Amino acid sequence: MSTPPTAALASHHTPLGPLTLAATDDALVLCAFDDREQAVARIARGGLTVVDADVAGPAQLRIIEEAGRQLDAYLGGRSRSFTVPVDLRLATPFSRTTVARLDGLLPYGVTGTYAELAAALGRPRAARAVGTALGANPLCVVLPCHRVVGSGGRLTGYAGGVAAKRFLLDLESGRPAAPVSL
């Protein structure tokens, strides 16, 4: 019987608050506002065993460190995209399809509504399902679910809170990003 693959878990401090990162040897599987307990449960549901970063393998640490560098550059306004390899195994099939297409449908600095995203995905009546799929995004910030807003441009729920969503949208629009109170 083989041992399940592992994912190394670490916390990365950002202007949005701490983000929990997890990586396999090959890719980032989690970038979330989850606390440790939530992250461990989510990772276990994805068929991975959690290890702490202090006992992680070198490949896992490289992915986590690269994700941290890219998050810092992005949140500092020095980068507009992510190149760290990602793996959506922690997402449901519909969530996987939805979040994987976000950056192509809504590039940096562009927002769209849940209804517009549902229509672009070929499911025009699935705005609510799109919202649920985005709420389960295992790779917040990296896969930009923050770019999806309510009808009329209303800021609606976000895993990191509406203040974090506002920060990200302001950053991408070139407006001064208001600090997020932690």
Side-chain angles (χ1 to χ4, degrees), residues 35 57 72 95 98 102 136-137 149 158 172:
D35 63 27
D72 292 345
S95 183
T98 303
L102 280 170
N137 179 6
V149 297
Y158 183 63
E172 291 188 6

Side-chain angles (χ1 to χ4, degrees), residues 44-147:
R45 284 191 306 272
L48 299 168
T49 299
V50 173
V51 297
D52 286 321
D54 60 345
V55 295
Q60 293 169 327
L61 289 176
R62 274 193 299 278
I63 299 279
I64 287 172
E65 289 166 1
E66 183 58 29
R69 277 191 293 277
Q70 289 184 26
L71 281 163
D72 292 345
Y74 188 84
L75 295 170
R78 299 181 307 279
S79 172
R80 292 179 165 214
S81 62
F82 292 90
T83 58
V84 65
V86 297
D87 179 338
L88 286 166
R89 75 174 68 204
L90 303 183
T92 65
F94 183 66
S95 183
R96 192 175 300 135
T97 299
T98 303
V99 299
R101 298 209 33 220
L102 280 170
D103 209 29
L105 295 171
L106 297 171
Y108 188 93
V110 175
T111 60
T113 67
Y114 295 96
E116 290 167 342
L117 182 56
L121 293 168
R123 308 256 325 255
R125 298 178 58 148
R128 188 167 296 196
V130 163
T132 300
L134 296 178
N137 179 6
L139 294 161
C140 286
V141 184
V142 176
L143 298 180
C145 56
H146 60 272
R147 295 179 188 155

Side-chain angles (χ1 to χ4, degrees), residues 4-68:
T6 62
L9 190 65
S11 182
H12 186 74
H13 296 282
T14 75
L16 304 174
L19 286 169
T20 300
L21 305 178
T24 63
D25 287 346
D26 302 312
L28 187 68
V29 294
L30 186 70
C31 178
F33 293 94
D34 296 355
D35 63 27
R36 179 180 170 70
E37 186 177 312
Q38 293 168 317
V40 168
R42 193 178 215 187
I43 292 165
R45 284 191 306 272
L48 299 168
T49 299
V50 173
V51 297
D52 286 321
D54 60 345
V55 295
Q60 293 169 327
L61 289 176
R62 274 193 299 278
I63 299 279
I64 287 172
E65 289 166 1
E66 183 58 29

